[in-house]
Amino acid sequence: MMSSPRNLEYEQLWLNAHTDTRAAVYTFSSCITLADLNADGDFKLVVADLGTGSTNVKLKVYKGTSLHSETALLDVPTGVTSFYMDLNEPRMPAIAVASGSNIYIYKNMRPYFKFSLPSMDINPLEKDLWMQVRDEQIEHGVFIELLNNLRAEIGFSQMSTQSQHLLTLDSSNTSSFVQQNCKFPVKRQTVVTCMTTLKKALAEETAVSCLVVGTESSEILVLDPEAFTILEKIKLSDEDSTTLAVPAVLSACGLHAVEFRIVAACRDGSLRLARRGWTETKTLVQLPAQPVAMTISPDNASITIALMNQTLQCYSKKGKLQWMINLPAAACALCPVPLPHQSATLVAVSLNGGLLQLYNGRQLVDVIKAPQSVSGLVFGRFGQEENALIMFTVDGSLLVKILKRTAHFNLNGGGNTASVAPGAAQQIKLQIPKKTRLFLDQTMRERDNCVMMHRTFQRDLFQLRVDVARACVKALQSCNNPVSLEGAEPLKLSAQVLGLGPLFKMVISLQNISASSMIQGLGILFHFDDKMYSMDKPFINVPLLVPGLEYPFETMIRNISELALSDQVRVLVVKDGQSQPVLAAIINMPVCDLLGMV
């Protein structure tokens, strides 16, 4: 069967580097990572094989196309990621495996540290029931009945692990379970649902990163990479609602020491945001369906998310829907595809049935066909290759495709076509000047003092805002404002000075800007230096002001100074019975023409 020309055009962009249908690796995208484990430039594939779901769970390392090593895991993992813990040389990353209520840290693929999530508070009534059954004060049947009543009151998720296990057993096994576990202390332990990383102080590829963990207890924890203490603890709730949401997918961007954004897609279909210094998240948007996978764009922090209703949607960092496209099948996985040579980041979406589509925004730029549905995929450096796409299918097959170095996606056209070879204009090398010593010293200074520079900028910005606010308040209190903000007299004042001098005509215009109310009892008062100016009418009575009309008032003012100097004239709009002006304006008088004074 011959392939269509369109499929041949797509196939030209990728090289089929490796296909292993007998790999028997069952995993998801959250359990796959690429890391330079030995700091030798040879990136290896680290994947958590879920096995049957309860047995044969292993952490496998692939070097090239062969299995390099494997380590048995005690429980089913929910996330695997690589991160740099310290600044030691050589720069070797650690592997974090989230499994149950623990996070296992591996260095050189050897166990290094185990972090356990903190225990949660236990309901006092539940704890008292276990103590009574341990002391044989109540019978087992009564004990189980009271636990069922407590579950209906506080919820199944708020009970301890022992109670949850007991309430799921058959009635024939409950007595033996109570006898075996009543002597152990009652614990309520949460589990890890998702995990990602966040750069700590620098945005470099090998910079130290913090672990960001989402838990079943509706919390986001940010862990220190060296001491593994909790740096941030954020509750997945907002001020407007007391309901909690369990995170399903986490994505983070920014720097923990400066400013960061953590976006959590929750099981209830909500998209929530956490930032530096927050103790609770903020709901960005309520999604129309549950999330499948999510990624954040490094350019503008936009959020691209695949949903269970066969749609791919993109939201701005403030939660506004930018675009939405309908997928031909249900989405199974999603991963970003950064292309630095084209200054773009694509999004690869695997669909049910084996189809994998690459999007630049809402534009489809490439299509890859796999033999089975892809359950997990990752894009990045693998071995010595810069751009490798690794896919695991639902039947356990391993597929490795390498993007050709001459491949060039058509990111500007409206169609779904792609060209292979770059144009002649793109092959011209730019004459980039050499980096001077001053430039390098300045770069090092900015990198070493980035936190202090950012804080200084923020402090000056806040000081500027405070000074502007104080000046605005001072102007309002002193009535030096051409527009009245009083609700009873909404007025607008404007002034003009006509003439070359020494005799000037001053035109004052008043306008009632209210909707329907009329204003009366006003007057215009001029305040000036009588040694500099003389005025025919220093006070003008204002008639009834009708809304919407502009009323001009004229007066003549003469400069009587022998030196032909200029000064300011203050115009005050006053009202009968009030000691404070309604509004005021300051007019800078022009300099007199010397010829006119002769």
Side-chain angles (χ1 to χ4, degrees):
M1 181 177 179
M2 298 182 61
S3 301
S4 63
R6 178 175 174 180
N7 292 333
L8 288 175
E9 187 177 14
Y10 284 139
E11 287 297 330
Q12 291 176 359
L13 297 175
W14 300 89
L15 296 175
N16 293 321
H18 179 64
T19 300
D20 186 2
T21 58
R22 299 182 179 180
V25 177
Y26 306 94
T27 186
F28 300 101
S29 297
S30 59
C31 297
I32 310 172
T33 187
L34 295 168
D36 186 8
L37 296 179
N38 300 323
D40 55 358
D42 186 10
F43 280 71
K44 298 176 178 60
L45 171 65
V46 183
V47 55
D49 184 8
L50 305 182
T52 62
S54 59
T55 60
N56 202 24
V57 182
K58 295 181 180 180
L59 183 66
K60 296 184 177 181
V61 178
Y62 281 86
K63 181 179 181 181
T65 59
S66 60
L67 181 62
H68 182 63
S69 65
E70 59 182 13
T71 305
L73 298 177
L74 300 178
D75 201 354
V76 178
T78 56
V80 175
T81 186
S82 61
F83 70 107
Y84 289 90
M85 298 174 51
D86 47 43
L87 300 175
N88 298 336
E89 294 291 343
R91 308 289 288 126
M92 300 175 62
I95 302 297
V97 181
S99 180
S101 59
N102 302 313
I103 299 176
Y104 301 94
I105 308 299
Y106 294 85
K107 294 203 72 172
N108 292 325
M109 292 312 298
R110 297 178 181 177
Y112 177 78
F113 185 77
K114 184 182 81 170
F115 173 80
S116 298
L117 297 179
S119 301
M120 304 174 63
D121 296 333
I122 303 174
N123 188 279
L125 180 57
E126 180 186 1
K127 188 175 181 180
D128 185 59
L129 289 175
W130 277 99
M131 292 179 62
Q132 292 182 19
V133 75
R134 182 191 62 186
D135 298 337
E136 298 182 355
Q137 296 180 4
I138 56 175
E139 297 180 354
H140 294 173
V142 177
F143 170 66
I144 296 174
E145 184 179 356
L146 292 175
L147 283 182
N148 281 317
N149 295 336
L150 183 62
R151 178 178 64 175
E153 181 179 349
I154 66 175
F156 186 78
S157 61
Q158 302 297 322
M159 304 185 72
S160 64
T161 306
Q162 290 97 318
S163 299
Q164 290 178 351
H165 194 183
L166 175 61
L167 295 177
T168 57
L169 294 177
D170 296 334
S171 57
S172 58
N173 301 325
T174 55
S175 298
S176 59
F177 181 84
V178 172
Q179 292 177 358
Q180 294 175 2
N181 294 273
C182 64
K183 298 180 181 180
F184 296 103
V186 183
K187 294 183 179 181
R188 181 167 170 244
Q189 195 76 33
T190 186
V191 295
V192 179
T193 60
C194 48
M195 181 174 62
T196 187
T197 58
L198 173 67
K199 299 293 183 182
K200 189 174 183 181
L202 299 176
E204 298 177 356
E205 183 180 358
T206 59
V208 178
S209 301
C210 302
L211 288 179
V212 182
V213 181
T215 66
E216 189 72 30
S217 57
S218 302
E219 289 179 338
I220 297 177
L221 306 179
V222 181
L223 306 181
D224 183 79
E226 296 180 345
F228 287 98
T229 56
I230 298 177
L231 300 177
E232 307 279 349
K233 189 174 184 180
I234 306 170
K235 204 72 176 175
L236 278 162
S237 62
D238 48 31
E239 299 178 354
D240 301 332
S241 175
T242 58
T243 59
L244 300 177
V246 179
V249 186
L250 284 179
S251 292
C253 63
L255 302 177
H256 178 265
V258 183
E259 182 62 36
F260 63 86
R261 299 171 63 90
I262 300 175
V263 179
C266 304
R267 293 177 188 167
D268 62 350
S270 61
L271 202 61
R272 308 203 177 199
L273 172 67
R275 302 186 67 176
R276 178 179 173 84
W278 291 11
T279 58
E280 293 183 347
T281 59
K282 175 186 175 182
T283 302
L284 289 177
V285 66
Q286 185 67 33
L287 301 173
Q290 277 67 33
V292 176
M294 175 181 62
T295 184
I296 295 181
S297 172
D299 300 330
N300 53 9
S302 61
I303 306 163
T304 304
I305 184 168
L307 302 180
M308 291 186 181
N309 60 353
Q310 297 187 16
T311 60
L312 183 66
Q313 301 184 5
C314 180
Y315 293 88
S316 66
K317 61 181 180 180
K318 295 185 178 181
K320 184 178 180 180
L321 180 62
Q322 295 181 330
W323 51 264
M324 179 186 68
I325 58 176
N326 294 318
L327 300 174
C332 300
L334 178 148
C335 81
V337 181
L339 300 175
H341 63 283
Q342 287 196 248
S343 301
T345 300
L346 308 182
V347 175
V349 184
S350 67
L351 305 177
N352 189 20
L355 198 64
L356 189 141
Q357 297 181 336
L358 279 80
Y359 289 90
N360 177 39
R362 63 190 304 172
Q363 175 192 357
L364 178 64
V365 296
D366 198 7
V367 175
I368 299 175
K369 180 63 177 173
Q372 293 289 336
S373 300
V374 177
S375 60
L377 71 160
V378 65
F379 181 87
R381 291 190 60 182
F382 183 39
Q384 301 296 330
E385 293 294 333
E386 292 286 341
N387 303 314
L389 180 63
I390 301 171
M391 299 174 284
F392 289 93
T393 61
V394 293
D395 62 350
S397 300
L398 169 61
L399 307 176
V400 179
K401 290 182 179 292
I402 297 176
L403 184 66
K404 287 185 177 181
R405 297 179 181 178
T406 58
H408 187 80
F409 293 96
N410 183 14
L411 304 181
N412 298 323
N416 302 335
T417 61
S419 60
V420 177
Q426 297 176 348
Q427 297 179 356
I428 301 176
K429 294 184 178 180
L430 298 177
Q431 297 296 330
I432 301 177
K434 295 182 179 180
K435 297 179 181 178
T436 62
R437 183 63 184 176
L438 178 61
F439 174 80
L440 295 177
D441 293 342
Q442 181 72 7
T443 303
M444 293 294 296
R445 186 184 70 85
E446 292 180 357
R447 188 179 69 176
D448 296 338
N449 303 298
C450 58
V451 177
M452 183 187 68
M453 294 174 62
H454 180 76
R455 290 177 178 174
T456 304
F457 171 77
Q458 292 292 333
R459 182 194 62 194
D460 296 343
L461 178 61
F462 292 152
Q463 185 64 40
L464 177 63
R465 291 174 178 174
V466 170
D467 294 341
V468 171
R470 288 176 177 173
C472 181
V473 171
K474 184 178 179 181
L476 293 177
Q477 292 178 349
S478 60
C479 296
N480 291 333
N481 192 7
V483 179
S484 175
L485 301 180
E486 297 291 337
E489 293 87 16
L491 296 173
K492 180 180 178 182
L493 182 146
S494 60
Q496 284 183 319
V497 179
L498 306 177
L500 299 177
L503 184 64
F504 300 94
K505 177 189 285 188
M506 185 175 294
V507 181
I508 307 298
S509 298
L510 282 180
Q511 182 179 3
N512 183 359
I513 59 176
S514 65
S516 58
S517 60
M518 294 181 289
I519 302 176
Q520 59 182 353
L522 299 179
I524 302 176
L525 177 65
F526 298 92
H527 183 269
F528 54 89
D529 187 359
D530 56 359
K531 297 179 181 180
M532 296 283 298
Y533 297 101
S534 64
M535 186 174 289
D536 296 343
K537 295 185 288 184
F539 182 82
I540 302 175
N541 286 315
V542 178
L544 181 69
L545 298 181
V546 179
L549 298 181
E550 186 173 344
Y551 294 82
F553 301 94
E554 300 179 355
T555 182
M556 304 300 294
I557 181 171
R558 180 181 295 274
N559 190 326
I560 59 176
S561 174
E562 298 179 357
L563 301 178
L565 300 177
S566 63
D567 198 5
Q568 294 180 342
V569 176
R570 190 175 184 186
V571 182
L572 306 175
V573 178
V574 297
K575 185 176 178 62
D576 295 340
Q578 293 185 4
S579 59
Q580 188 175 5
V582 176
L583 54 85
I586 297 178
I587 302 174
N588 294 316
M589 296 296 295
V591 179
C592 294
D593 187 4
L594 295 178
L595 295 178
M597 300 183 65
V598 178

